[in-house]
């Protein structure tokens, strides 16, 4: 799967594990790199759907974004490259047709 970054800082951290560890701590850095590896190795978003990390669609004001768990309460948030996002007749997103994502942020969206 093709991965891009909305945030240059996150892109730099994704490419420099030592710096990532210094900024995020050992556990979050390890999980961040694991999730990125899972996404890179996937052909479509469907391939990560049932992997550890609880990949899931977001709702409300974050509809059209996905997230996966890092260390609690932090999540890695991303959006599909496809515009519009592939959906069936009922408006349900088709994970199998999403072939690339843009990493948006690492955040605790439940806390705000």
């Amino acid at each position: 799967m093709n991965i891009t970054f909305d945030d240059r800082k996150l892109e730099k951290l994704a490419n420099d594990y030592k710096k990532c560890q210094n900024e995020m701590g050992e556990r979050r850095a390890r999980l961040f790199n694991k999730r990125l590896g899972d996404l890179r190795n996937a052909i479509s978003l469907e391939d990560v759907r049932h992997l550890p990390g609880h990949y899931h669609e977001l709702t409300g004001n974050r509809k059209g974004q996905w997230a996966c768990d890092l260390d609690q309460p932090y999540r890695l948030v991303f959006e599909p490259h496809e515009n519009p996002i592939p959906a069936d007749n009922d408006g349900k997103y088709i994970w199998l047709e999403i072939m690339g994502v843009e990493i948006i942020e690492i955040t605790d969206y439940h806390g705000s």
Side-chain angles (χ1 to χ4, degrees):
M1 179 179 298
N2 182 35
I3 298 175
T4 57
F5 293 84
D6 180 57
D7 182 284
R8 285 184 51 89
K9 181 180 177 188
L10 279 178
E11 184 174 14
K12 286 181 181 180
L13 293 176
N15 293 315
D16 185 343
Y17 188 73
K18 187 85 166 153
K19 183 174 182 150
C20 188
Q21 275 185 308
N22 289 339
E23 297 246 350
M24 296 184 184
E26 167 91 33
R27 185 158 192 250
R28 190 173 312 147
R30 182 176 39 80
L31 290 168
F32 175 55
N33 278 277
K34 170 76 173 113
R35 304 296 180 245
L36 289 176
D38 290 344
L39 289 166
R40 281 189 187 106
N41 291 330
I43 294 170
S44 74
L45 197 54
E46 181 68 29
D47 295 334
V48 299
R49 189 175 204 156
H50 302 291
L51 291 180
H54 186 235
Y55 291 83
H56 58 285
E57 298 173 28
L58 300 179
T59 59
N61 64 343
R62 287 189 175 265
K63 185 166 176 56
Q65 295 181 340
W66 273 252
C68 59
D69 296 346
L70 296 176
D71 56 326
Q72 289 294 341
Y74 293 95
R75 307 289 193 278
L76 178 64
V77 179
F78 51 93
E79 295 177 342
H81 286 163
E82 289 76 11
N83 187 12
I85 301 170
D88 64 16
N89 292 335
D90 295 324
K92 200 170 170 193
Y93 293 133
I94 305 170
W95 291 47
L96 191 61
E97 294 181 14
I98 298 170
M99 305 296 185
V101 296
E102 182 167 61
I103 306 298
I104 304 300
E105 64 182 334
I106 292 175
T107 189
D108 170 13
Y109 51 71
H110 291 119
S112 51

